[in-house]
Amino acid sequence: MDALVIGAGPAGLMAAEELAAAGRQVVICEAKPSAGRKFLMAGKSGLNVTKDEGSAAFLAAYGAAWLEPILRDFGPDQVKAWCRALGQDVFTGSSGRVFPVAMKASPLLRAWLSRLGSAGVELRLRWRWMGFQGDGWQFDTPQGARVLHPRVVVLALGGASWPRLGSDAAWVPWLRDKGVEIAPFLPANMGFGVDWSPHMSRHFGQPVKGAMLLADDLRERGEFVISSRGIEGGGVYAVSAPVRDGAALAVDFLPDVDGAAIAARLARMKPGETLANRLRKLGLSPAAVALIMEFGRGIDPGRAVKALPLRLTGPRPIAEAISSAGGATQAALTESLELRALPGVFACGEMLDWEAPTGGYLLTGCWATGRWAGRAAAR
């Protein structure tokens, strides 16, 4: 066998495409019954393929200088051109997020798998990697145990989030035994738990819109949702890394209004009015008012509107997270994403130790590292 790719997610499929384009005979082994299961799930509410913004801002979102050459090689412009080459036109929303016109992931995946098949790439489903057997790669398959001996291998095994879709990190001990340094996995882009008082139950499922979330020096404007388990949603995910690592989280419910103006408006209201009524007169939604009543006791109302501290119990479990931090470290890899401890073996996608927010960054990072590893493996 010429080239083996393990994992049929976005990173693995991109690596296979590059290997095939270089004339290599490529086999993809995927543990699940179909390819791209997490990719399809991520696209259910609208497939966000990348973020159309300046290069400096785009690269800064990853917080990893070692990824910059890879992301410059396959960034937002290249992602858009690649989608269009598959017959899937894209558009840029007002926030800079880029979506296929079809919005869903399935048309893009179908077109991509068809192109890979035409290029001679073989996809073997329900082939689960089970570690090493001597110098071979052992698989559990519908036909029983099999051992493969490819010339090069690209690992696109995913991280540790959404294990039911395939990213279960089962590969970690096998690579550690071979001397690969792997940073512990942590949840990323996840919600946080809250021990709500009973009166909050009627607000479960309600969004809080137009707010700004504050975590250390980070200021992120975005919507989040009150759930029975805590808070979740895009706004929370954008600040989840520093909050996970110990930063306090606060909310500014009226980011476009100066604090002094809010204090003046509150001062002009009737002294006998309830706090809830006064907050509603500021234009706050019922969900926002409920949060201030939940967490703002003893805090000046004006300050509570501009910087309400939220009492969190901690991040939600990694199995519920959109992505994960941790994985094969930069020190474990060459500049070509080859594992130093395993010459001829390359790694890409979420199994690498990088972290980025939602909003197109995750998917572009997977495609970019898959492309980089595939090209290096082909060489």
Side-chain angles (χ1 to χ4, degrees), residues 286-362:
V289 171
L291 285 173
I292 293 176
M293 300 302 292
E294 179 81 355
F295 296 118
R297 300 291 183 181
I299 301 176
D300 175 76
R303 179 175 173 272
V305 171
K306 292 299 292 179
L308 179 72
L310 303 185
R311 294 189 297 273
L312 310 175
T313 61
R316 296 297 303 165
I318 196 168
E320 299 175 12
I322 290 177
S323 61
S324 54
T329 66
Q330 179 188 2
L333 302 158
T334 69
E335 291 183 357
S336 298
L337 300 183
E338 186 175 17
L339 293 173
R340 297 183 188 277
L342 292 169
V345 180
F346 300 78
C348 57
E350 283 195 74
M351 67 176 294
L352 304 182
D353 184 19
W354 58 278
E355 180 177 4
T358 57
Y361 301 105
L362 291 171

Side-chain angles (χ1 to χ4, degrees), residues 271-287:
E273 281 190 292
T274 66
L275 175 58
N277 280 339
R278 294 164 71 197
L279 294 172
R280 281 192 284 269
K281 287 185 176 181
L282 289 175
L284 298 184
S285 68

Side-chain angles (χ1 to χ4, degrees), residues 91-329:
F91 71 94
T92 302
S94 58
S95 65
R97 296 185 178 194
V98 180
F99 302 88
V101 171
M103 290 302 289
K104 298 180 180 179
S106 51
L108 182 64
L109 182 60
R110 280 196 301 269
W112 194 9
L113 291 174
S114 176
R115 188 166 76 180
L116 288 170
S118 298
V121 174
E122 179 186 350
L123 176 59
R124 298 181 183 178
L125 300 173
R126 295 188 175 91
W127 274 59
R128 179 178 293 278
W129 182 41
M130 300 302 292
F132 300 96
Q133 186 177 98
D135 61 351
W137 298 73
Q138 184 174 359
F139 289 84
D140 178 26
T141 82
Q143 295 76 39
R146 295 288 187 272
V147 179
L148 304 181
H149 295 83
R151 291 180 61 191
V152 293
V153 177
V154 177
L155 300 176
L157 297 164
S161 66
W162 293 11
R164 63 188 176 86
L165 299 179
S167 297
D168 57 10
W171 51 270
V172 169
W174 302 325
L175 293 188
R176 276 193 175 139
D177 286 347
K178 294 290 186 178
V180 178
E181 182 183 50
I182 299 170
F185 279 111
L186 298 169
N189 292 296
M190 66 292 178
F192 290 84
V194 177
D195 284 335
W196 300 115
S197 61
H199 85 91
M200 286 297 297
S201 61
R202 65 180 179 274
H203 300 285
F204 293 162
Q206 291 186 11
V208 177
K209 300 181 178 181
M212 183 174 288
L213 289 105
L214 320 172
D216 287 342
D217 295 330
L218 192 59
R219 302 289 185 270
E220 288 290 341
R221 195 164 188 157
E223 181 178 320
F224 65 96
V225 176
I226 300 170
S227 75
S228 60
R229 297 175 298 187
I231 54 172
E232 54 193 77
V236 172
Y237 303 153
V239 298
S240 60
V243 176
R244 177 199 63 208
D245 296 340
L249 179 62
V251 182
D252 180 352
F253 293 100
L254 295 174
D256 296 325
V257 183
D258 180 78
I262 291 173
R265 289 172 62 184
L266 287 169
R268 289 195 298 268
M269 294 180 188
K270 295 178 182 178
E273 281 190 292
T274 66
L275 175 58
N277 280 339
R278 294 164 71 197
L279 294 172
R280 281 192 284 269
K281 287 185 176 181
L282 289 175
L284 298 184
S285 68
V289 171
L291 285 173
I292 293 176
M293 300 302 292
E294 179 81 355
F295 296 118
R297 300 291 183 181
I299 301 176
D300 175 76
R303 179 175 173 272
V305 171
K306 292 299 292 179
L308 179 72
L310 303 185
R311 294 189 297 273
L312 310 175
T313 61
R316 296 297 303 165
I318 196 168
E320 299 175 12
I322 290 177
S323 61
S324 54
T329 66

Side-chain angles (χ1 to χ4, degrees), residues 49-76:
V49 294
T50 193
K51 183 72 175 291
D52 196 350
E53 61 185 353
S55 176
F58 183 80
L59 296 173
Y62 293 84
W66 63 281
L67 286 178
E68 289 190 8
I70 300 171
L71 294 164
R72 289 184 188 278
D73 192 56
F74 196 75

